[in-house]
Amino acid sequence: MRMPRPRPRALPLVALVLAFGLGAGPAAASPWTLARGELATVVRFDYESATEEFLDDADATPFSLNGRYQAIGFTPDIRLGLLDHLELEFWLPFKQVSYTADPVILLPAPEGGEGIDYYQENIIHLSRSVFGPTDLNLALRWQLLGGSEALALEGRLKAPTGYEAPQGTFGDRPRSKEAFLADVGRYVAPENVRDDVTLGDGQLDASLRLLGGAAFGTGTFVRLDAGYVLRMGGAADQVTGAVRAGQLLFGRLLPYAGVEADLAVERGRVIGVSVAAVDPELPAAEYGGTNNLELREVRLERDRAVVNFGAIFRITPEVELNLGHARTVWGNNTSAVATTSAGIGLRTRYLD
């Protein structure tokens, strides 16, 4: 008598892939939802840095005036199993964001000479720092398929917490290059500097995403997500997607890698005029007024592609540690940010 071939034991791996969704943070929301009454809590710490930016679909260029962006973030994240196949998640990042750059004088010196008043009144400091909560995020996921192959539908809302919204380099007025050039002396003033530091875009997003995943008896998993982001407040809508894969090793270690992208599908509204350096490596002392500046109309519009990799280590069946790194490798109107993350996740029950 021929014995039936045993099926691969997928459930332990599915549980680990579910934990991948927990430990990797909101960007890796899982199609394997929590069971009814389960609670997953994740605390993640991030360090971000950048010395380059992507502008106008070009290659990354250095920030002008030796600019450097840095941010330290702390994100508490909670997932609740409301019903079988239905879960709620919410998270609220807190950030300390800073941008440092060399001071510069952009207005020409008076004909009578460069007196002390000229320097005191016209030195522009672009360095800024801000701390606070960023955007409150809520997500509801309905698991359509379960088991070793999973599919879920996710609705997500992102709302600002009241921080100052982004503007152009010298404020939200003027909103055209022509108006800026018509009255340069009025706008190029130290008290008008608003650029380079913000906690977010300051507007509401609503998105719908399809999350898919497959786990194999070999210990391999793959993830494929796709969605559309409706951005309010004049920001450009986006299509978004992600691909991830990982391999379970030694029953406890799960290295993974992936890529994710957000692409604008329309033009966003103009929020001010910004300046980019024609030669970003030119020292501040050699600027010679506005000769090294190129005007840009800043829009609430962004594209980006990010590669990421990391590993999850299962300390106990309920506790996991996640270490990861991500880098923006292409984009438009965004910085070439490198992010290093460390997180710890705990899964328990809040209902018996």
Side-chain angles (χ1 to χ4, degrees), residues 239-297:
V239 291
T240 182
V243 178
R244 287 178 287 276
Q247 176 65 48
L248 177 64
L249 302 174
F250 316 117
R252 287 181 176 270
L253 182 65
L254 180 65
Y256 62 87
V259 60
E260 58 187 80
D262 303 311
L263 304 175
V265 298
E266 59 183 350
R267 301 305 303 274
R269 69 176 175 88
V270 176
I271 59 173
V273 173
S274 185
V275 291
V278 176
D279 178 4
E281 297 181 345
L282 189 69
E286 300 179 17
Y287 261 54
T290 59
N291 295 330
N292 192 44
L293 301 184
E294 179 180 353
L295 296 182
R296 300 179 63 253
E297 293 179 355

Side-chain angles (χ1 to χ4, degrees), residues 296-328:
R296 300 179 63 253
E297 293 179 355
V298 183
R299 296 177 177 272
L300 276 179
E301 177 183 331
R302 185 177 297 109
D303 305 306
R304 67 173 193 140
V306 179
V307 296
N308 56 75
F309 61 88
I312 295 173
F313 180 70
R314 184 175 59 182
I315 301 173
T316 72
E318 295 80 24
V319 181
E320 293 183 348
L321 177 67
N322 181 8
L323 300 175
H325 185 78
R327 183 173 181 83
T328 303

Side-chain angles (χ1 to χ4, degrees), residues 131-199:
F131 169 79
T134 61
D135 296 303
L136 176 62
N137 297 265
L138 298 172
L140 191 66
R141 294 184 199 94
W142 177 31
Q143 184 174 308
L144 306 173
L145 296 175
S148 60
E149 297 178 355
L151 187 67
L153 188 65
E154 176 191 86
R156 184 184 297 187
L157 286 175
K158 183 214 76 176
T161 57
Y163 54 82
E164 185 175 356
Q167 303 177 47
T169 301
F170 299 102
D172 60 356
R173 295 289 190 276
R175 295 191 178 182
S176 71
K177 292 185 287 187
E178 292 77 15
F180 184 90
L181 291 172
D183 199 356
V184 172
R186 173 187 173 190
Y187 296 114
V188 181
E191 61 269 18
N192 290 336
V193 174
R194 297 290 187 272
D195 195 31
D196 296 315
V197 172
T198 180
L199 293 171

Side-chain angles (χ1 to χ4, degrees), residues 16 71 113 133 193 235 260 318 332 334 339-340:
L16 185 57
V193 174
E260 58 187 80
E318 295 80 24
N332 180 32
T334 191
T339 305
T340 300

Side-chain angles (χ1 to χ4, degrees), residues 26 28-30 87 89 91 138-142 152-156 207-211:
S30 175
E87 73 171 28
E89 179 178 16
W91 64 99
L138 298 172
L140 191 66
R141 294 184 199 94
W142 177 31
L153 188 65
E154 176 191 86
R156 184 184 297 187
S207 63
L208 189 64
R209 304 166 195 254
L210 194 63
L211 315 177

Side-chain angles (χ1 to χ4, degrees), residues 8-25:
R9 294 183 61 192
L11 286 181
L13 181 57
V14 168
L16 185 57
V17 174
L18 172 60
F20 166 79
L22 301 179

